[in-house]
């Protein structure tokens, strides 16, 4: 299981409740492998892991053991690999302290499904996790419901709160296991006047395989005589680029003059999808540089000498299917963000800023500006020809992104122009003009004063602490990735 190393400290407490034996593996793997290499001859996975990290890792210079000259001989290196303990433990040792996002998996089939938005098991609830400050009291609050799922059939809606699963109170130590059951029952409540108010009502839900369309809401609203497009986009999933483009075709046909892009729960995904989204919003900058790539020294030198154009991502006229992009030619866009807005979402904001007016409304974003790629155990890291003895793959960070003006390294996130944190006391209905975060954007758009928080809202903000969300244990959580594997510059 892959977990972001720099999750809020209260979430890291979760690990304290799990077996110490699994701690090292859990921090950076999405499946806890038991393939321990106790003999020198049983290190083919470790050899692959080291080769990939030694070759392509963005932060190679931070890790002494990855230096090309570190080992005096191949046998000395193989001895080091044999003593690592497992592929997962080796991978952990090869990570830079500034890396929160690289991971390893022992099941690349499941990883590939996640790229396509396929979830092997979901009840349809997208939720945040909160605690009452200074306690171990955990509750979940529903952010939105996936259509056609058990949660929708049960009538669950945004803002519903639950604290128990199958009659057991959720804690930082047990919530993940309880919610993983194929069928489970939750209690029902809400936040009222800054207090959790639970009822006697319960709902039974069941998991099923599901493919989520990230284009969650795409509608045109008329406000004070202006046509405003509202797009809630929840993931940069390549297989849904056509649906995204269709949404922009709808906006274009309806003659919108303004766009509000809701990325509050969007943790990222495909770099190409992010470039295409930026091209849909604009259109007048075709061919101009949207994003520059910065690799480790070896690859940066290679690309600059042999193919400098490959380091540049330009505004596109077509999506990857060669379908013409439906562009709006806007000079301003409003973007809704939370602390969970990450990677490709931040790339869109940062990449557009040199060209148009980007008004960010909400909270400071995650601070993820690096991209990764899937490496398989083959001579060229491609899936074709991969070692059939295992299904390990690694997803290391390989480059960082910089916009046309060179802005990068926003470790502390991107700060909003209009500050507003979602309030559990009043989450509102997504897509409704009265929903607080959307309303904050509309108020700015029309030059209206921002509303002040009520006493109950302030009480809720002071009492409740958000500590995580659904999906944060999944392999592609807050990842930004590319599809192409670069040329192999390091031969074993």
């Amino acid at each position: 299981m892959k977990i972001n190393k720099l999750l809020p400290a209260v979430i890291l407490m979760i690990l304290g409740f799990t077996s110490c034996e699994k701690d090292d593996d859990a921090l950076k793997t999405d499946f806890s492998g038991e393939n321990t290499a106790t003999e020198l001859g049983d290190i083919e996975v470790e050899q692959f892991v080291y080769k990939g990290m030694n070759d392509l890792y963005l932060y190679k210079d931070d890790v002494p053991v990855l230096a090309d000259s570190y080992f005096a001989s191949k046998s000395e290196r193989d001895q080091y690999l044999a003593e690592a303990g497992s592929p997962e433990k080796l991978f952990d040792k090869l990570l830079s302290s500034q890396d929160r996002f690289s991971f390893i998996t022992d099941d690349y089939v499941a990883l590939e499904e996640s790229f396509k938005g396929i979830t092997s098991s979901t009840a349809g609830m997208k939720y945040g996790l909160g605690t009452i400050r200074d306690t171990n009291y955990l509750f979940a609050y529903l952010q939105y419901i996936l259509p056609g799922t058990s949660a929708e059939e049960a009538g669950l809606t945004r803002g519903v709160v639950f604290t128990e699963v199958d009659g057991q109170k959720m804690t930082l130590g047990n919530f993940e296991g309880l919610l993983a059951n194929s069928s489970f029952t939750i209690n029902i409540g809400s936040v009222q006047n800054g207090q959790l108010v639970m009822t006697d009502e319960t709902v039974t839900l069941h998991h099923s395989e599901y493919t989520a369309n990230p284009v969650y809401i795409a509608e045109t609203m008329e406000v004070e005589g202006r046509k405003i497009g509202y797009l809630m986009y929840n993931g940069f999933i390549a297989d849904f680029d056509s649906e995204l483009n269709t949404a922009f075709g709808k906006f274009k046909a309806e003659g919108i003059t303004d766009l509000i892009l809701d990325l509050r729960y969007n943790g990222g995904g495909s770099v190409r999808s992010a470039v295409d989204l930026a091209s849909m919003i604009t259109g007048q900058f075709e061919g101009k540089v949207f994003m520059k790539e910065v690799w480790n020294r070896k690859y940066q030198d290679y690309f600059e000498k042999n193919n400098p154009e490959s380091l540049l991502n330009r505004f596109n006229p077509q999506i990857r299917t060669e379908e013409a992009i439906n562009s709006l030619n806007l000079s301003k866009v409003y973007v809704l963000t939370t602390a969970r807005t990450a990677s490709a979402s931040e790339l869109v904001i940062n990449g557009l800023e040199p060209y148009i007016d980007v008004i960010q409304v909400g909270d400071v974003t995650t601070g993820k500006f690096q991209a990764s790629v899937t490496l398989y155990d083959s001579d060229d890291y491609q899936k074709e020809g991969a070692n059939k003895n295992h299904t390990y793959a690694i997803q290391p960070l390989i480059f960082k992104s910089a916009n046309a003006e060179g802005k990068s390294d926003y470790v502390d996130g991107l700060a909003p122009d209009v500050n507003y944190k979602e309030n559990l006391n009043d989450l509102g209905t997504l897509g409704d003009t009265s929903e607080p975060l959307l309303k904050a954007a509309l108020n700015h758009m029309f030059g209206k004063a921002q509303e002040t928080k009520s006493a109950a809202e302030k009480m809720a903000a002071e009492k409740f602490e958000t500590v995580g969300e659904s999906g944060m244990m999944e392999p592609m959580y807050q990842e930004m990735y590319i599809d192409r594997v670069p040329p192999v510059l390091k031969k074993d």
Side-chain angles (χ1 to χ4, degrees):
M1 178 183 300
K2 179 261 180 183
I3 297 176
N4 183 336
K5 274 190 174 179
L6 295 186
L7 283 169
V10 69
I11 275 295
L12 292 180
M13 290 171 59
I14 297 170
L15 301 178
F17 292 92
T18 61
S19 168
C20 293
E21 181 180 354
K22 297 182 180 180
D23 278 354
D24 288 343
D25 292 347
L27 283 174
K28 275 289 176 182
T29 61
D30 58 337
F31 293 91
S32 295
E34 298 296 333
N35 299 342
T36 303
T38 56
E39 299 179 5
L40 190 56
D42 186 24
I43 59 170
E44 59 182 356
V45 177
E46 285 84 353
Q47 289 173 328
F48 150 62
V49 170
Y50 184 86
K51 176 187 174 184
M53 295 294 281
N54 168 257
D55 189 21
L56 279 156
Y57 189 38
L58 172 63
Y59 297 116
K60 175 180 176 177
D61 286 349
D62 289 357
V63 186
V65 73
L66 288 177
D68 294 342
S69 59
Y70 187 84
F71 295 107
S73 65
K74 181 177 181 298
S75 60
E76 182 182 327
R77 185 201 64 187
D78 286 348
Q79 184 64 43
Y80 170 82
L81 300 181
E83 295 171 354
S86 72
E88 291 80 8
K89 290 179 179 179
L90 171 65
F91 190 79
D92 284 351
K93 293 177 181 179
L94 301 180
L95 293 178
S96 163
S97 60
Q98 60 181 311
D99 183 357
R100 298 179 285 166
F101 301 100
S102 295
F103 66 92
I104 184 172
T105 175
D106 65 1
D107 183 0
Y108 58 64
V109 175
L111 177 62
E112 292 163 352
E113 289 182 344
S114 70
F115 287 135
K116 299 176 181 178
I118 300 173
T119 302
S120 60
S121 174
T122 184
M125 298 187 299
K126 293 296 182 179
Y127 56 85
L129 290 167
T131 62
I132 296 177
R133 291 186 186 276
D134 301 321
T135 74
N136 191 38
Y137 191 96
L138 189 70
F139 64 92
Y141 56 95
L142 301 192
Q143 297 166 329
Y144 64 99
I145 303 298
L146 295 173
T149 61
S150 175
E152 184 185 55
E153 293 171 3
L156 295 179
T157 58
R158 175 172 165 82
V160 166
V161 170
F162 63 94
T163 62
E164 297 180 359
V165 180
D166 292 332
Q168 296 187 56
K169 286 190 178 297
M170 291 194 302
T171 69
L172 295 173
N174 70 12
F175 80 94
E176 186 184 5
L178 292 174
L179 292 171
N181 294 329
S182 59
S183 180
F184 58 90
T185 299
I186 61 173
N187 61 340
I188 298 296
S190 61
V191 176
Q192 298 177 22
N193 296 318
Q195 302 290 330
L196 287 181
V197 179
M198 306 308 298
T199 69
D200 294 330
E201 182 183 356
T202 61
V203 171
T204 299
L205 304 171
H206 61 269
H207 286 287
S208 61
E209 185 175 286
Y210 188 82
T211 302
N213 182 350
V215 183
Y216 190 71
I217 302 174
E219 61 182 33
T220 298
M221 54 185 69
E222 291 199 25
V223 182
E224 299 187 17
R226 287 161 67 172
K227 289 187 176 181
I228 302 169
Y230 171 75
L231 173 66
M232 186 171 194
Y233 185 53
N234 293 331
F236 291 79
I237 301 174
D239 283 10
F240 288 91
D241 286 355
S242 290
E243 284 78 358
L244 180 62
N245 199 35
T246 296
F248 274 82
K250 175 175 176 283
F251 289 147
K252 192 171 184 177
E254 293 172 348
I256 70 164
T257 56
D258 304 271
L259 177 67
I260 298 176
L261 176 61
D262 193 339
L263 301 177
R264 73 181 79 187
Y265 304 134
N266 192 321
S270 167
V271 168
R272 175 61 191 271
S273 297
V275 177
D276 289 349
L277 173 56
S279 301
M280 294 172 196
I281 293 169
T282 57
Q284 65 271 42
F285 306 111
E286 181 182 326
K288 291 187 179 296
V289 174
F290 171 72
M291 182 265 284
K292 304 173 185 177
E293 300 174 5
V294 182
W295 297 63
N296 67 29
R297 284 187 299 167
K298 178 175 62 177
Y299 272 84
Q300 191 70 16
D301 289 345
Y302 171 82
F303 287 130
E304 288 178 354
K305 292 176 182 177
N306 297 281
N307 189 7
E309 180 62 28
S310 68
L311 295 171
L312 306 178
N313 292 258
R314 300 181 183 275
F315 287 92
N316 296 321
Q318 299 175 324
I319 61 175
R320 70 187 79 209
T321 61
E322 299 186 353
E323 176 185 343
I325 280 179
N326 294 313
S327 56
L328 299 180
N329 294 287
L330 296 176
S331 59
K332 176 187 288 188
V333 64
Y334 281 79
V335 184
L336 309 185
T337 65
T338 66
R340 310 303 174 195
T341 303
S343 63
S345 290
E346 294 170 294
L347 176 61
V348 169
I349 296 170
N350 192 47
L352 283 174
E353 281 187 336
Y355 296 97
I356 67 174
D357 193 5
V358 181
I359 309 299
Q360 184 182 334
V361 181
D363 201 358
V364 179
T365 61
T366 297
K368 168 71 158 55
F369 48 88
Q370 311 100 323
S372 64
V373 73
T374 307
L375 302 184
Y376 299 88
D377 186 5
S378 66
D379 290 340
D380 58 1
Y381 304 122
Q382 303 277 357
K383 184 179 179 182
E384 184 177 356
N387 189 335
K388 296 186 183 300
N389 294 333
H390 65 84
T391 55
Y392 272 93
I394 59 175
Q395 192 80 24
L397 298 179
I398 57 170
F399 70 77
K400 66 179 182 178
S401 63
N403 68 14
E405 296 175 343
K407 181 180 177 181
S408 182
D409 298 308
Y410 37 89
V411 177
D412 297 324
L414 300 173
D417 301 286
V418 179
N419 287 284
Y420 183 87
K421 292 187 179 183
E422 282 198 311
N423 174 24
L424 301 186
N425 208 69
D426 182 19
L427 286 175
T429 301
L430 293 171
D432 191 295
T433 56
S434 64
E435 186 272 308
L437 188 52
L438 175 55
K439 189 174 183 179
L442 291 171
N443 283 343
H444 187 279
M445 185 180 295
F446 289 97
K448 298 180 180 179
Q450 297 296 331
E451 297 181 358
T452 57
K453 290 184 177 181
S454 66
E457 289 173 330
K458 292 178 180 178
M459 183 188 302
E462 293 172 358
K463 184 174 183 178
F464 302 135
E465 181 177 9
T466 301
V467 297
E469 63 182 335
S470 55
M472 66 183 181
M473 303 299 189
E474 295 175 3
M476 292 311 297
Y477 180 66
Q478 294 185 336
E479 288 293 328
M480 178 167 66
Y481 59 87
I482 60 172
D483 302 319
R484 71 185 190 279
V485 177
V488 179
L489 301 185
K490 172 74 174 178
K491 299 294 185 181
D492 194 12

